[in-house]
Amino acid sequence: MGEPLVVMKDVNKHFGDLHVLRDINLEVASGEVVIVIGPSGSGKSTLCRTINRLETFESGSITIDGDPLPLEGKSLARLRADVGMVFQSFNLFAHKTILENVTLGPIKVRKEKKADAERHAMELLERVGVALQADKYPAQLSGGQQQRVAIARSLAMRPKVMLFDEPTSALDPEMINEVLDVMVQLAKEGMTMVVVTHEMGFARKAANRVVFMADGQIVEQAPPSDFFTNPQSDRAKDFLGKILTH
Amino acid sequence: MGDILSNYDILGAFWMTIKLSVLGTVGALVLGTVLAVMRVSPVTTLRAIGTSYVNVFRNTPLTLLMVASILGMTYILGMSLSDDQQTNIFRWAVIVLSVYHAAFICEAVRSGFNTVPVGQAEAARSIGLSFGQSLTQVILPQAVRGSIAPVGSTIIALIKNSTVASVIGVSDAAGMMATIVENETGTFGVFLIFAVGFVILTLPLGMAFTAMSRRLAVRR
């Protein structure tokens, strides 16, 4: 694998007195799929959100494809266009149709022609299996369908890397797999992904590396097979013991 | 009664009320929306200006503003908006109606902003939309749809409040009623004519806003 696409160096962040990110150092290579797991409150969502600066941080640096993360304004918007983000609560634009959700970014940010953007959007909706719903509004779709649209919306920007912030945590159990299937497919196609999740099955199936966080620190990182069978730290052993016993 | 209807241009007076209301509404909507955006902006100074504006104008009696526009602005400060006296009065009345009701529109639209979940703005930013694009493409359209009902109430209040313009001499419906009462008689019939006139103006509007707020509601 080549030059790292995402580099986080000594990143620190506080929420008031709470030190949510402590000296985070993380590199994600192009085409790599990194899973971030850890107990709730460990800072894993915050880590994910700092990568496209939905959360600010106080010290350290983050570069994406060699470019340092801009502080604000137009250059930050340009960078965000290259970084896809999928949220726990989908966050589809509620007043726009499914098709409009997917074409908004390409038309407004990439300045694509409407017809081109719509053609590409339909291809993507086809790929995630919701093309038939293109003219509906988000509230008319199931959670699983909405999340697949959200993935298509990110893909429409042709991102360099995609961030997933607990993409299946708000879904009914029977809808989790339809979203994970799309993500596994993406991983196979070589998309660079950072995924915060509790889905250990997905981690085993698609991840190149598991990053385990606790108390705002990266405690341990290893390939999934090693991590799940032979965790090194006590925190990881304790965590895995709690979630894998059932 | 028949004499009154034929001797006085009641329809013309209501036409004046409609002109005041329409122009006042346009002004209040534009100014109120700008103020609402200021009040939710990340810039402290803008927020402070928006808040002060609302507090000043929402808490000042409309009659006082109306009188101040002529006595204060035109007579003392010499700010005349037209050489024609009637036109000057009319323009000031429109401005005062706009400025006063903008404070209420601002609060109505701001309540609309609060119906838009934070995630919508985050999603907008995450696909690379600029601050302005996020606002115009994602946040404002939803905020406006969420504020249709309270904005409707404010516009209805504006139509009825336009009667205050008669205190500075605009010949609207209220001015006409005062003239008739003074020159002819103050029977219930006269009051009824004007009451019905306002009902005709405001009732369908209220129904339209209710229907619109249902139809355009953002389903989540």
Side-chain angles (χ1 to χ4, degrees):
Chain A
M1 290 184 182
E3 189 74 359
L5 196 53
V6 179
V7 180
M8 301 180 78
K9 208 158 183 238
D10 301 322
V11 173
N12 277 283
K13 178 180 177 64
H14 291 79
F15 280 133
D17 287 339
L18 192 64
H19 200 165
V20 279
L21 294 179
R22 296 169 191 254
D23 300 319
I24 298 292
N25 285 288
L26 181 68
E27 293 189 356
V28 181
S30 182
E32 198 181 10
V33 177
V34 173
I35 305 294
V36 184
I37 64 170
S40 60
S42 58
K44 53 193 194 301
S45 276
T46 310
L47 179 145
C48 186
R49 289 162 57 86
T50 50
I51 296 177
N52 69 350
R53 219 182 161 86
L54 282 181
E55 297 285 352
T56 56
F57 52 93
E58 287 122 31
S59 64
S61 69
I62 297 180
T63 61
I64 305 228
D65 205 8
D67 296 324
L69 209 54
L71 286 182
E72 54 193 24
K74 287 234 157 47
S75 45
L76 179 58
R78 210 172 303 129
L79 178 130
R80 280 175 176 152
D82 290 336
V83 181
M85 176 112 194
V86 175
F87 300 88
Q88 181 176 349
S89 49
F90 330 133
N91 294 347
L92 294 180
F93 304 130
H95 65 304
K96 291 192 179 288
T97 64
I98 298 308
L99 185 63
E100 289 167 345
N101 262 276
V102 181
T103 57
L104 182 66
I107 292 173
K108 292 292 169 190
V109 179
R110 298 278 193 235
K111 310 293 178 198
E112 284 179 29
K113 289 205 188 76
K114 192 167 178 243
D116 294 343
E118 284 182 349
R119 202 174 314 120
H120 186 213
M122 286 311 294
E123 281 170 27
L124 292 168
L125 290 174
E126 195 79 53
R127 195 164 135 196
V128 300
V130 283
L132 290 176
Q133 325 288 338
D135 294 326
K136 292 190 179 166
Y137 285 88
Q140 295 170 284
L141 270 59
S142 73
Q145 289 173 326
Q146 288 191 50
Q147 194 60 301
R148 285 182 282 150
V149 173
I151 293 173
R153 176 175 67 180
S154 289
L155 288 174
M157 300 301 290
R158 298 180 170 87
K160 292 175 181 165
V161 51
M162 282 190 62
L163 311 172
F164 293 81
D165 186 7
E166 304 203 24
T168 56
S169 299
L171 294 175
D172 292 335
E174 75 268 24
M175 291 172 185
I176 289 177
N177 279 332
E178 62 188 53
V179 172
L180 291 181
D181 287 346
V182 171
M183 291 169 61
V184 169
Q185 193 58 38
L186 269 181
K188 280 189 186 146
E189 288 164 12
M191 175 60 74
T192 310
M193 295 161 70
V194 176
V195 185
V196 176
T197 187
H198 297 293
E199 298 296 333
M200 300 305 149
F202 173 76
R204 284 207 175 108
K205 206 189 286 182
N208 299 109
R209 183 161 39 126
V210 173
V211 170
F212 176 73
M213 283 186 77
D215 303 322
Q217 279 174 307
I218 294 178
V219 178
E220 185 171 344
Q221 33 185 328
S225 50
D226 295 354
F227 179 78
F228 289 116
T229 52
N230 187 20
Q232 299 299 306
S233 63
D234 291 343
R235 289 301 307 260
K237 282 176 193 162
D238 182 48
F239 178 73
L240 288 174
K242 278 177 186 154
I243 60 163
L244 294 177
T245 47
H246 294 289
Chain B
M1 263 324 261
D3 290 351
I4 291 174
L5 287 174
S6 57
N7 291 345
Y8 294 90
D9 185 11
I10 295 179
L11 280 182
F14 268 109
W15 176 236
M16 179 57 87
T17 296
I18 291 171
K19 281 197 287 183
L20 275 178
S21 303
V22 170
L23 294 175
T25 299
V26 171
L29 284 177
V30 173
L31 186 55
T33 306
V34 171
L35 286 165
V37 170
M38 287 168 76
R39 286 204 72 175
V40 298
S41 84
V43 185
T44 321
T45 325
L46 291 182
R47 275 205 308 275
I49 294 173
T51 310
S52 319
Y53 182 99
V54 167
N55 282 333
V56 167
F57 287 101
R58 200 171 51 172
N59 296 307
T60 309
L62 180 58
T63 315
L64 190 149
L65 291 173
M66 222 31 115
V67 172
S69 74
I70 296 305
L71 291 186
M73 303 306 273
T74 301
Y75 292 163
I76 298 174
L77 296 179
M79 286 173 64
S80 187
L81 300 175
S82 169
D83 292 337
D84 176 52
Q85 172 72 358
Q86 261 332 98
T87 313
N88 177 48
I89 287 174
F90 173 77
R91 287 180 180 169
W92 272 115
V94 168
I95 288 176
V96 169
L97 284 172
S98 300
V99 162
Y100 176 78
H101 290 92
F104 296 89
I105 295 283
C106 166
E107 291 303 276
V109 173
R110 197 164 68 97
S111 76
F113 274 108
N114 291 334
T115 67
V116 185
V118 184
Q120 295 286 311
E122 289 189 343
R125 283 190 281 157
S126 78
I127 60 168
L129 295 180
S130 66
F131 178 78
Q133 285 174 325
S134 303
L135 195 66
T136 55
Q137 297 294 319
V138 177
I139 310 300
L140 255 184
Q142 295 188 46
V144 166
R145 286 156 185 243
S147 62
I148 288 173
V151 164
S153 300
T154 307
I155 293 175
I156 287 171
L158 184 148
I159 293 173
K160 295 188 291 173
N161 287 345
S162 72
T163 51
V164 175
S166 65
V167 302
I168 57 171
V170 178
S171 22
D172 73 327
M176 175 65 77
M177 189 180 80
T179 311
I180 293 174
V181 168
E182 186 154 322
N183 296 352
E184 308 282 340
T185 166
T187 61
F188 274 113
V190 173
F191 295 127
L192 203 62
I193 289 170
F194 287 94
V196 168
F198 275 97
V199 167
I200 290 170
L201 288 183
T202 54
L203 196 65
L205 202 64
M207 281 153 62
F209 272 108
T210 307
M212 229 158 64
S213 73
R214 285 213 192 99
R215 206 164 57 81
L216 294 178
V218 181
R219 284 182 196 87
R220 301 195 189 279

